[in-house]
Every structure is written in C-alpha cells, then in structure tokens.
Amino acid sequence: MAEFNEHSVFNVDEMENSVIGIATRVGKHDSGMHQHQKGQLLYAPKGCMSISLNGIRCVLPPTRAAWIPANTPHCARMTNVVEYRSLYFDPSLNASLPSSLKIVEVNPLLKALIERMAFWEWDKPQSEQANTTALFLEELANAREELLQLPLPTDRRLHDWLDQLNNPTYIVPPLNQLCLSIGASGKTISRIFNRETGMAYQAWRQQWRLLKSIELLSEGLQVNDVAYQLEFSSDSAFVSFFKQQTGITPFQYL
C-alpha cells in the first residue's frame, strides 16, 4: 500500500492487480459522486461513514461493510475522523462478487481479511493474493446482510429539504413540522413518500432516526446524548426504540 490520505489523487481503474487495497485515516471528507470500473468494498473499523447511491442512503458503523458493484455512482461522506478501508476488485472477479449493493455484518474473520488486504502493496504479485482473495470472497458471500439503508424521495418539492439531510446537525422533523417548512399538506407529503420510497413518512423518519443514532453512537456519543439530539422523550425511550428496530440494545449493537 502506497502512502495515501484524503487529498491523494489516483485512478484505481488504471491499476492492474486483481485486488487493490487502501488503509488510511480520514477526517471530515466528501468524496463527491463518482464511480469505478472495479467493484469496491468500504469499511471503517473505527468511526462511521455514510454512503449515497441510486437514491439510497446507507450508514456504515464499525460492525458493517458495504459492497458497491462496479460502475455504480456513489458518494462517501465522513463527518469525523474515520479509519478508512477500501478494497477494489478487478472486473475479472465479477462472477464471484455480488451484483447489487449489500450492507453486511463484519465478523472477526472478515475483518481480519479486510485489514490484511487493505495493507497489501499495490504491486503485490497476484499469485500471493489468490488464497486470501478466495477466502474473502467466500466470507463475503456468506456474510449476514443488514438493511441499514434509507430510500430517498425524488419529488422536486423536496429537493431543498433533502439537501439539509447532508448537514450533520440537522434533525428530521415530525410530519406536521415538515408541512410548514415545505408548504405542502400532510396528505401530499405522505403520498410522495409512499409512492417514491415505499414507506409512510413516519416509518421513513423512524428509519432515519435509527441510522442517525448508529452514526452518533459510532462516533463515541453516549446513549443519553444520542437520545437528546434525536429528540426522544428519555434515554429509556431511545433504548426501547433501538431495541424494537434492531432486536438488541445500543450497547450490544456496537
């Protein structure tokens, strides 16, 4: 692995090895919308990053990784310091790789494989990559998939509001407050969300709160701080919400 930071510029599609790895520490960063001819696995062993692609927003805490297929436009954002790991896979391996976006649980073996491959020298002989790559592909195929995703509406009336979601301090409001800021009725907004996301606005907001809480917890905030920021009535109300959504408490999740 060559020296690399968030300001480095390189074209991974010009590199010939089957697997190219990156391991670095990144501060506040926005990659902008881009794509690669190679498939990509994104993982942060410390910190949390969010990904936007194909009208979907995803959150990656240290326990989850994202598989992004080749030629998929995407944007990665970090609001705090993140230990960043990225693996790029040559199209020749496509038959062994997922064909669609996946958010997967990172077990200890998969984590160890990602760490090893992320620190490979970029000119490491492919014969020395083969066995580790084969084991990685097997673990990725068998990894438990997570639904840490949020579909985004595309209606033009919501464009300015959607831009606010990129502000790390913004809190998605209840429906009655959203009506006032957008200037549309609750019925209109509900129809938009049902049609374009497949979710009622309240369900969509609850999913947003879940993803935001995972992001804040991954950044080291305490449960009471997260409950306060996300406007829950109490710490216990937040813990109950989190457990209802995930089946476990915030502490167990992280």
Side-chain angles (χ1 to χ4, degrees), residues 9-30:
V9 177
F10 77 112
N11 187 346
V12 70
D13 291 327
E14 295 179 349
M15 300 181 178
E16 296 182 356
N17 259 14
S18 295
V19 182
I20 301 294
I22 291 174
T24 188
R25 175 173 291 183
V26 179
K28 184 176 181 180
H29 178 63
D30 186 329

Side-chain angles (χ1 to χ4, degrees), residues 105-159:
E105 182 179 23
V106 178
N107 63 28
L109 177 54
L110 185 56
K111 178 179 179 179
L113 291 167
I114 294 171
E115 287 292 289
R116 173 173 289 189
M117 298 165 76
F119 282 91
W120 276 348
E121 293 294 333
W122 289 347
D123 59 354
K124 184 180 180 69
Q126 296 197 36
S127 60
E128 297 178 13
Q129 294 183 342
N131 291 340
T132 303
T133 300
L135 182 55
F136 168 86
L137 294 174
E138 180 180 345
E139 285 299 304
L140 179 62
N142 293 327
R144 187 165 66 92
E145 192 165 356
E146 293 278 339
L147 296 178
L148 295 181
Q149 305 171 20
L150 186 70
L152 300 175
T154 59
D155 191 282
R156 59 179 178 77
R157 287 166 287 189
L158 299 175
H159 280 181

Side-chain angles (χ1 to χ4, degrees), residues 156-222:
R156 59 179 178 77
R157 287 166 287 189
L158 299 175
H159 280 181
D160 290 343
W161 175 73
L162 287 170
D163 286 341
Q164 296 181 63
L165 297 183
N166 295 326
N167 183 339
T169 63
Y170 182 72
I171 303 299
V172 169
L175 180 58
N176 61 340
Q177 294 180 24
L178 183 60
C179 293
L180 295 175
S181 63
I182 291 178
S185 69
K187 288 184 178 180
T188 296
I189 293 173
S190 296
R191 282 197 299 269
I192 291 172
F193 273 85
N194 278 309
R195 182 180 68 246
E196 299 186 355
T197 71
M199 304 170 71
Y201 178 76
Q202 178 61 17
W204 187 92
R205 179 173 180 257
Q206 294 293 67
Q207 180 72 352
W208 180 89
R209 293 174 101 190
L210 174 64
L211 299 190
K212 189 64 176 181
S213 69
I214 291 171
E215 182 179 345
L216 295 173
L217 290 165
S218 299
E219 293 172 358
L221 270 70
Q222 299 299 310

Side-chain angles (χ1 to χ4, degrees), residues 20-87:
I20 301 294
I22 291 174
T24 188
R25 175 173 291 183
V26 179
K28 184 176 181 180
H29 178 63
D30 186 329
S31 71
M33 196 62 70
H34 65 288
Q35 64 187 59
H36 319 283
Q37 295 172 22
K38 299 178 185 288
Q40 181 181 17
L41 183 107
L42 274 176
Y43 174 60
K46 291 184 181 179
C48 187
M49 71 177 88
S50 64
I51 309 168
S52 300
L53 71 171
N54 293 340
I56 296 173
R57 177 163 297 177
C58 311
V59 168
L60 291 185
T63 53
R64 305 294 183 265
W67 169 254
I68 303 172
N71 301 308
T72 301
H74 61 280
C75 173
R77 294 185 180 90
M78 302 83 164
T79 58
N80 287 287
V81 174
V82 170
E83 293 292 341
Y84 176 86
R85 307 289 183 263
S86 184
L87 304 177

